[in-house]
Amino acid sequence: ETRAAEAERLAALGQIAAGLAHEIRNPLSSIAGAVQLLQTSVNDPEDRELCDIVRREAGRLEDLVSDMVDLSRPRPPHVERTDISRVVDDVAELASRSGRALGDVRVVRVGTKDPSFVLVDAGQLRQLVWNLVRNAVQASVAGGEVRVRLESRQRVVLSVEDDGVGIDERARAQIFDAFYTTRSKGTGVGLAVVKRIADDHGFTVSVESGAGRGATFLVDLGPPLPPAE
């Protein structure tokens, strides 16, 4: 019954997302482009700050539209031998240069950086890591740090740890449900996409946390592939 209800919700979301995505993305692109041009012609610091706010919020809306479309219209993963270490490096580097990471939250890459291969859809894996890091940055307090870690021994495990306010036991049971969120500005879509990608690949995703002590999201990617001959 739970699966049927979730499928029905996603089907309805798919119809809404398909209609809205195009209508929202076009004006968002125009807004972002216009503000970028405007920023080059203003000298007042307050005006520049206002332009930054518009660009940041336009980017947040673009992320929301993308998450809704990805959640409502999943595609089967096309798996291939992929160096997950390189994917994690790329996402961590990108995340450290965008959003709050440019100001009050640090994003750091820790753990092994040696090549570590698994069978995965590289594009979907990149999205999974990006959503986890983005969620951690949003959950962090000012001056906090997000640690993106990869460990590869008997199994390959990705973890994304933040210094936020944490997640209580009740919220942990629902954190991967679509539209469930503990933040006033959250949508509850990004982590649902993470769970869907993990399930489609047969990965295990979990969260360790407690109120007031940050959160760590863990993705078990299975055993590493042997070195290529």
Side-chain angles (χ1 to χ4, degrees), residues 85-111:
S85 184
R86 178 174 294 182
V87 174
V88 172
D89 284 344
D90 290 346
V91 174
E93 175 66 19
L94 177 61
S96 70
R97 298 175 180 270
S98 61
R100 290 184 63 197
L102 292 173
D104 60 356
V105 178
R106 293 181 65 231
V107 176
V108 296
R109 167 76 159 90
V110 295

Side-chain angles (χ1 to χ4, degrees), residues 100-162:
R100 290 184 63 197
L102 292 173
D104 60 356
V105 178
R106 293 181 65 231
V107 176
V108 296
R109 167 76 159 90
V110 295
T112 181
K113 294 189 177 182
D114 295 334
S116 184
F117 291 90
V118 295
L119 284 176
V120 68
D121 184 309
Q124 292 188 17
L125 175 66
R126 184 179 299 273
Q127 183 182 14
L128 179 150
V129 180
W130 173 258
N131 282 15
L132 285 177
V133 175
R134 185 180 67 185
N135 177 77
V137 170
Q138 292 170 347
S140 295
V141 297
E145 181 179 87
V146 172
R147 293 167 290 281
V148 186
R149 185 186 306 275
L150 186 66
E151 298 296 342
S152 180
R153 296 188 178 90
Q154 285 79 18
R155 304 186 72 81
V156 181
V157 178
L158 166 73
S159 67
V160 179
E161 181 181 5
D162 66 64

